[in-house]
């Protein structure tokens, strides 16, 4: 087998992972995750923001091996469902280390979480707050507000969070209902490369904390959510830039420093994973077409969900020398017309690329295998293999 060459620089890539792929030649498509890189990223986040408690957002990569590795390092966990609660507890996480961060939940699921020992919750509505008071009495709560910030790489829109003034009212109500008010939380949207996004959220959270103090309600912590970026085709600013912006804004907008909480997902697992895919077909739509269509054995429905709107532009690697190359449109294998991965983002691949060649999709450890749970068109979900 050829040595695999980078068509672009790949600083996040572990050599062990590349060796694993080349030596074991696993069936494609597959995701391979280096657990040592997961651990390294966790400690890099701790080093960048030592004053913050890390709740790893399990949804980014819910592989039991990833959860177990992070539990062993002392991470806490942001969970979105009873399934993720069961997963974390089964991997040795302490129920005290779990936070049920999804503001959209059934009363029965809150009751289940409480029975399993979960005592931290996020809400953003009157209805969920009432359910928490009834089914998770005495628990610690954050209220998520909508942050007015520039759009992130993969934005949430307005689905989560409420207006800041409503968050203030709801948190005061939470105290009346016997819940322990932790404070405000926000999420700037995933893959945020602009540190100013956290600055405006922290300023708003400071106003909420002061409003609550005036109403006689003390707050304990500030939950800054996730959103910390990974480098894909465009390099992301280092964590230290975000950490410094956060530190400066907290000092400016809080009289007493709150305990800080972060819920990183992508920043912990993205660079730990590589997807190895195979080229199914290379074709052109006309004899004069400059673009080749490169169809892979992985697409939008089997792991590359974040290529919707071409939000995430992964770096690609083939075994061919990077040049000569030419423009390509890259698509998945299904019969769905939307299963086109990149047609607007300019990608070039070696002209020597043929059916049967491998294409490695780099830094693909976050939001890939977990989005690939349905056997759409009969293509099986993306398996994950591990090193480390
Ligand atoms: C509540 C919550 N926290 C944290 C995260 C993780 O975000 P990221 O992977 O951008 O760090 C998410 C992502 O959807 C989320 O919904």
């Amino acid at each position: 087998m050829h040595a695999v060459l980078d068509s672009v620089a790949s600083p996040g890539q572990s050599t062990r992972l590349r060796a694993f792929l080349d030596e074991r030649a696993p069936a494609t498509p597959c995701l391979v995750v280096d657990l040592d890189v997961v651990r390294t990223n966790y400690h890099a986040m701790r080093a960048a923001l030592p004053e913050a408690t890390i709740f790893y957002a399990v949804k980014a990569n819910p592989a039991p091996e990833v959860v177990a590795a992070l539990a062993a390092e002392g991470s806490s966990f942001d969970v979105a469902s009873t399934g993720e609660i069961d997963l974390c507890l089964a991997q040795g996480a302490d129920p005290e280390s779990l936070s049920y961060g999804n503001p959209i939940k059934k009363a029965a699921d809150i009751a289940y979480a409480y029975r399993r020992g979960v005592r931290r919750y996020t809400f953003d509505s009157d209805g969920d707050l009432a359910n928490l008071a009834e089914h998770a009495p005495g628990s610690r709560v954050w209220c998520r507000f909508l942050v007015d910030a520039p759009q992130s790489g993969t934005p949430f829109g307005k689905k989560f969070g409420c207006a800041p003034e409503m968050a203030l009212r709801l948190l005061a109500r939470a105290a009346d209902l016997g819940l322990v008010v932790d404070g405000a939380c926000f999420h700037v949207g995933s893959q945020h490369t602009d540190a100013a996004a956290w600055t405006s959220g922290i300023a708003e959270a400071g106003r909420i904390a002061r409003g609550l103090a005036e109403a006689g309600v003390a707050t304990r912590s500030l939950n800054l959510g996730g959103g910390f970026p990974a480098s894909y085709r465009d390099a992301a600013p280092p964590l230290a830039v975000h950490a410094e912006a956060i530190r400066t804004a907290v000092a400016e907008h809080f009289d007493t420093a709150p305990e800080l909480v972060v819920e990183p997902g992508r920043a912990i697992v993205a660079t730990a994973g590589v997807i190895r895919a195979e080229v199914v077909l290379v074709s052109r739509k006309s004899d004069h077409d400059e673009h080749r269509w490169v169809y892979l054995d992985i697409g939008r429905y089997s792991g590359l969900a974040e290529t919707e709107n071409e939000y995430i532009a992964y770096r690609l690697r083939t075994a061919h020398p990077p040049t000569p190359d030419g423009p390509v449109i890259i698509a998945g294998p299904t019969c769905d017309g939307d299963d086109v991965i990149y047609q607007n983002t300019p990608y070039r691949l070696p002209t020597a690329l043929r059916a049967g060649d491998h294409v490695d999709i780099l830094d693909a450890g976050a939001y890939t295998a977990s989005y690939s749970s349905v056997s759409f068109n009969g293509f099986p979900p993306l398996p994950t293999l591990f090193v480390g």
Side-chain angles (χ1 to χ4, degrees):
M1 191 175 186
H2 292 293
V4 174
L5 298 174
D6 278 356
S7 59
V8 284
S10 56
Q13 210 52 54
S14 92
T15 47
R16 197 158 56 141
L17 213 156
R18 296 174 64 169
F20 176 92
L21 277 166
D22 289 347
E23 284 159 21
R24 299 267 196 100
T28 69
C30 66
L31 168 67
V32 189
V33 169
D34 188 333
L35 296 170
D36 275 355
V37 179
V38 172
R39 293 182 194 100
T40 301
N41 289 344
Y42 171 76
H43 288 291
M45 177 64 76
R46 286 198 60 175
L49 267 178
E51 63 272 58
T53 305
I54 297 176
F55 284 70
Y56 168 63
V58 173
K59 57 183 76 79
N61 189 321
E65 291 82 351
V66 169
V67 171
L70 288 169
E73 298 303 307
S75 183
S76 295
F77 297 93
D78 164 57
V79 293
S81 64
T82 56
E84 287 189 354
I85 292 169
D86 291 344
L87 164 70
C88 290
L89 296 181
Q91 295 310 315
D94 186 334
E96 290 287 309
S97 73
L98 303 191
S99 155
Y100 198 159
N102 186 349
I104 317 295
K105 44 197 173 302
K106 294 178 180 176
D109 291 346
I110 296 171
Y112 179 82
Y114 189 77
R115 277 201 303 281
R116 299 233 54 192
V118 179
R119 294 293 181 269
R120 285 174 172 243
Y121 299 84
T122 296
F123 68 93
D124 66 4
S125 64
D126 282 290
D128 198 37
L129 172 58
N131 286 337
L132 288 171
E134 185 176 346
H135 299 290
S139 292
R140 297 173 64 163
V141 290
W142 286 295
C143 184
R144 181 161 167 179
F145 67 87
L146 266 167
V147 63
D148 184 18
Q151 180 162 296
S152 71
T154 62
F156 292 128
K158 298 209 181 304
K159 181 170 177 185
F160 306 107
C162 59
E165 52 284 8
M166 182 169 158
L168 174 50
R169 172 179 71 73
L170 288 176
L171 283 167
R173 174 94 184 114
D176 289 344
L177 291 170
L179 293 161
V180 176
V181 172
D182 244 295
C185 82
F186 64 91
H187 195 304
V188 294
S190 202
Q191 181 65 8
H192 218 306
T193 50
D194 184 352
W198 280 271
T199 307
S200 54
I202 291 166
E204 201 59 76
R207 278 190 283 279
I208 294 171
R210 280 194 298 283
L212 285 166
E214 284 162 21
V217 178
T219 50
R220 300 165 85 161
S221 67
L222 168 60
N223 183 338
L224 302 161
F228 301 95
S231 285
Y232 294 104
R233 284 221 321 186
D234 294 330
L239 274 181
V241 171
H242 296 277
E244 195 44 44
I246 287 169
R247 216 168 273 127
T248 306
V250 170
E252 186 181 342
H253 297 287
F254 281 80
D255 302 331
T256 314
E259 292 167 30
L260 293 185
V261 164
V262 287
E263 299 173 345
R266 186 185 304 279
I268 305 292
V269 288
T271 58
V274 169
I275 290 173
R276 175 151 286 185
E278 185 181 305
V279 177
V280 178
L281 179 73
V282 181
S283 69
R284 291 180 202 268
K285 296 297 171 193
S286 84
D287 292 336
H288 314 290
D289 198 349
E290 192 200 357
H291 283 83
R292 287 164 298 153
W293 280 67
V294 174
Y295 298 90
L296 301 179
D297 60 358
I298 186 170
R300 181 73 47 80
Y301 303 101
S302 47
L304 300 181
E306 287 208 311
T307 59
E308 188 180 358
N309 298 322
E310 308 193 19
Y311 279 147
I312 297 295
Y314 295 103
R315 293 180 299 131
L316 305 179
R317 181 176 70 191
T318 77
H320 296 287
T323 55
D325 66 0
V328 289
I329 293 170
I330 305 171
T334 65
C335 294
D336 190 300
D338 284 336
D339 191 9
V340 178
I341 302 167
Y342 299 118
Q343 56 189 332
N344 300 316
T345 314
Y347 269 85
R348 301 179 71 84
L349 284 173
T351 47
L353 196 69
R354 298 283 180 272
D357 288 348
H358 288 149
V359 173
D360 287 346
I361 303 169
L362 307 186
D363 305 312
Y367 302 111
T368 48
S370 52
Y371 269 127
S372 168
S373 51
V374 178
S375 223
F376 178 62
N377 252 214
F379 291 94
L382 185 66
T384 308
L385 312 170
F386 298 93
V387 292

